[in-house]
Each structure stands twice: as structure tokens, then as C-alpha cells.
């Protein structure tokens, strides 16, 4: 394992070998190996905390590709990406387990099993009662309407 850095955003990442030539996972710039004089003796993957700031000044901030905005916002952007990916994984897992029915309500029509449903609003219930009177009581007890088979449930 070797420790690499990005000249553009300042990200430090570990790579298996320097031949892999993978770009930075944040800004897609080239990665470079951290010089041995900044690493803890014998580790090859841990930067000496006493020399870290010196390394950042000499190799990252002095680089012509350096982007201060990316450097300052890198950690929060990566955190947001991780949270978005985690949410996507959870959503996929919910679909596989049958907990997510493909709509914002998490329900499906009990008659045709479609997930294209909408909530029946209180305004809609009041309007229906004003038009149809006592004959709308059965519909007003329902909460969802299926857009596929037009049933209320």
C-alpha cells in the first residue's frame, strides 16, 4: 500500500500500487505518491502528523492545479455523497424486501397491485360531500385512489 495525494483538492488516499493510475475519487485529477520524507518510518501509508502541514504547503497548495474551493469543501462534499449513496442503498434494499412499493406513500392498490396511487385529500372529500351529499360517505372513508383501476381504498 502507498499513500497518494491529489494536487487539485488535497485529498490523501491509499492505493494498492502506484501502477494502478486511478484518478482522485473526488475531483478526478491525477494522484501522486507522497514522498517518503513525510511518512512515518516504515509504514508507507501514514503521514507524519508533525510534517503534514508542511507537506500540504509544499506539495498541494503550491501546485498550479490547486483549487482552494475544492480543498475547503472536500470533506463536506464527500460526506454528502456518502449519505446520498447510503440512502440509495437503503431504498434499493427496501424495494428488494418489499417495504417500498414505488411511491411516496409506500402502498399499492389492493385490487390491481399498481403503485400509481394518490392520496385523497380532505379538500377533495369535502367537495365530494358538497356535490353528492350522504352518498359520498363510503368514498370519504377511503384514503387512497388508484390511478390504474380507479378504485378507492
Amino acid at each position: 500500500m502507498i499513500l497518494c495525494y491529489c494536487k487539485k483538492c488535497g485529498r490523501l488516499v491509499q492505493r494498492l500500487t502506484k501502477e494502478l493510475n486511478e484518478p482522485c475519487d473526488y475531483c478526478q485529477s491525477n494522484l501522486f505518491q507522497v514522498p517518503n520524507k513525510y511518512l512515518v518510518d516504515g509504514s508507507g501509508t501514514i503521514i507524519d502528523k508533525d510534517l503534514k502541514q508542511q507537506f500540504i504547503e509544499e506539495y498541494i497548495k503550491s501546485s498550479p492545479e490547486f483549487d482552494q474551493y475544492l480543498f475547503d469543501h472536500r470533506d463536506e462534499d464527500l460526506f454528502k455523497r456518502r449519505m446520498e449513496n447510503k440512502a440509495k442503498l437503503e431504498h434499493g434494499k427496501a424495494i428488494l424486501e418489499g417495504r417500498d412499493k414505488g411511491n411516496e406513500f409506500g402502498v399499492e392498490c389492493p385490487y390491481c397491485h399498481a403503485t400509481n396511487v394518490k392520496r385523497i385529500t380532505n379538500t377533495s372529500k369535502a367537495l365530494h360531500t358538497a356535490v353528492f351529499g350522504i352518498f359520498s360517505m363510503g368514498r370519504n372513508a377511503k384514503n387512497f385512489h388508484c390511478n390504474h383501476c380507479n378504485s378507492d381504498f
Side-chain angles (χ1 to χ4, degrees), residues 54-76:
Q54 179 184 349
F55 168 75
I56 290 171
E57 295 296 328
E58 288 179 9
Y59 283 87
I60 295 172
K61 290 188 175 181
S62 65
S63 170
E65 301 127 54
F66 178 70
D67 186 328
Q68 186 69 44
Y69 179 83
L70 292 178
F71 183 79
D72 292 339
H73 294 88
R74 180 189 65 235
D75 293 335
E76 67 188 55

Side-chain angles (χ1 to χ4, degrees), residues 9 11 24-28 70 73-89:
C9 69
R11 182 152 166 76
C24 174
D25 60 346
Y26 176 61
C27 68
Q28 304 304 312
L70 292 178
H73 294 88
R74 180 189 65 235
D75 293 335
E76 67 188 55
D77 289 345
L78 288 170
F79 179 77
K80 285 178 189 176
R81 282 186 196 175
R82 279 193 293 274
M83 292 299 106
E84 288 169 2
N85 287 338
K86 184 178 178 181
K88 288 176 186 176
L89 287 172

Side-chain angles (χ1 to χ4, degrees), residues 31-116:
L31 293 175
F32 301 91
Q33 186 174 356
V34 174
N36 287 334
K37 71 178 186 176
Y38 295 102
L39 301 175
V40 173
D41 292 332
S43 73
T45 58
I46 302 172
I47 197 163
D48 190 330
K49 57 183 161 184
D50 296 332
L51 299 174
K52 186 175 183 177
Q53 192 57 40
Q54 179 184 349
F55 168 75
I56 290 171
E57 295 296 328
E58 288 179 9
Y59 283 87
I60 295 172
K61 290 188 175 181
S62 65
S63 170
E65 301 127 54
F66 178 70
D67 186 328
Q68 186 69 44
Y69 179 83
L70 292 178
F71 183 79
D72 292 339
H73 294 88
R74 180 189 65 235
D75 293 335
E76 67 188 55
D77 289 345
L78 288 170
F79 179 77
K80 285 178 189 176
R81 282 186 196 175
R82 279 193 293 274
M83 292 299 106
E84 288 169 2
N85 287 338
K86 184 178 178 181
K88 288 176 186 176
L89 287 172
E90 287 296 321
H91 180 68
K93 183 178 176 185
I95 289 172
L96 288 174
E97 293 174 352
R99 290 184 283 119
D100 187 327
K101 302 298 182 186
N103 57 41
E104 63 184 283
F105 311 112
V107 298
E108 68 180 28
C109 175
Y111 308 110
C112 69
H113 302 288
T115 57
N116 185 9

Side-chain angles (χ1 to χ4, degrees), residues 124-142 152:
S124 172
K125 290 178 184 182
L127 183 62
H128 202 268
T129 301
V131 173
F132 296 105
I134 196 160
F135 299 108
S136 66
M137 295 310 291
R139 180 184 184 270
N140 288 348
K142 312 294 183 177
D152 296 325

